[in-house]
Amino acid sequence: NVHGRFGKIVATIVLNDADITKSSVTATVDVSTADTGEPGRDEQIKGDKFFNVAKFPTAYFTSTSVQKSGGNLAVTGNFTLCGVTKPVTFIVEGPTAPAQGMDHKPHVGFEATTTISREAFGLGAAFPAPMIGDDVKLTLELDAAKQ
C-alpha cells in the first residue's frame, strides 16, 4: 500500500441536525498537491500517465444525499477526477462533540471513507492491475468550523 495526501482541500459542509437529509457537502481538491513522501513518485503520478494535473488540476465532490447509516452517515454524491464523474458513497463517522477552536468558533470533526476504482476514473491506465491495485481507499479527516 502506498499512502499519500492532498495538501489543499476546500470544503463546505451544511449540517442540519434537525433533518440530516437536508445536509450537504461540496469539496474541491487541488490534485497538484498530491504527496506520497517520495518526490520521484509524486512527479510521476502528477504526470499525464496518472492524474495529469496539467489537464485536470482539480477534483470535485458534490453530495446528492445524506442519510443515517447505523451509527454513521452515508454521504452519496458525484466525484469528478481526471474529467470522469462517478457516484461514490462516503461512510462518515462524526460529528464529534463541538470544541472551541483557536479562532473562537466551535469545531467538530468527521472521518469519511470510500473506495474507488482506479481504472473507472482512468487513473494509470498504462499500469496494469498486478503492478498497481485497482482499489483506492480515500480517507478524509475533516475539521469543520461553524460559520
Side-chain angles (χ1 to χ4, degrees):
N1 290 330
V2 173
H3 296 269
R5 65 182 297 272
F6 294 104
K8 186 174 180 187
I9 300 172
V10 177
T12 300
I13 301 167
V14 176
L15 183 62
N16 186 324
D17 289 323
D19 184 353
I20 202 69
T21 64
K22 292 182 179 173
S23 300
S24 64
V25 178
T26 58
T28 303
V29 179
D30 181 346
V31 180
S32 71
T33 64
D35 179 10
T36 65
E38 178 60 45
R41 178 175 43 223
D42 293 347
E43 287 305 312
Q44 187 174 26
I45 67 171
K46 291 176 190 179
D48 62 355
K49 292 187 174 154
F50 211 83
F51 284 127
N52 195 358
V53 298
K55 188 173 181 181
F56 305 108
T58 309
Y60 305 95
F61 176 80
T62 303
S63 65
T64 55
S65 74
V66 178
Q67 301 175 41
K68 289 193 181 214
S69 176
N72 298 319
L73 299 175
V75 179
T76 300
N78 294 315
F79 183 53
T80 302
L81 180 63
C82 294
V84 176
T85 301
K86 299 278 183 188
V88 299
T89 298
F90 284 92
I91 301 302
V92 182
E93 294 179 23
T96 60
Q100 188 78 6
M102 292 179 62
D103 58 3
H104 305 290
K105 295 178 182 180
H107 287 243
V108 294
F110 298 90
E111 182 174 279
T113 59
T114 193
T115 300
I116 64 169
S117 162
R118 174 181 63 84
E119 292 174 356
F121 284 92
L123 292 172
F127 304 99
M131 184 181 235
I132 300 176
D134 184 44
D135 289 343
V136 177
K137 182 178 180 181
L138 302 176
T139 301
L140 305 172
E141 295 174 347
L142 304 171
D143 169 34
K146 186 172 183 176
Q147 300 299 308

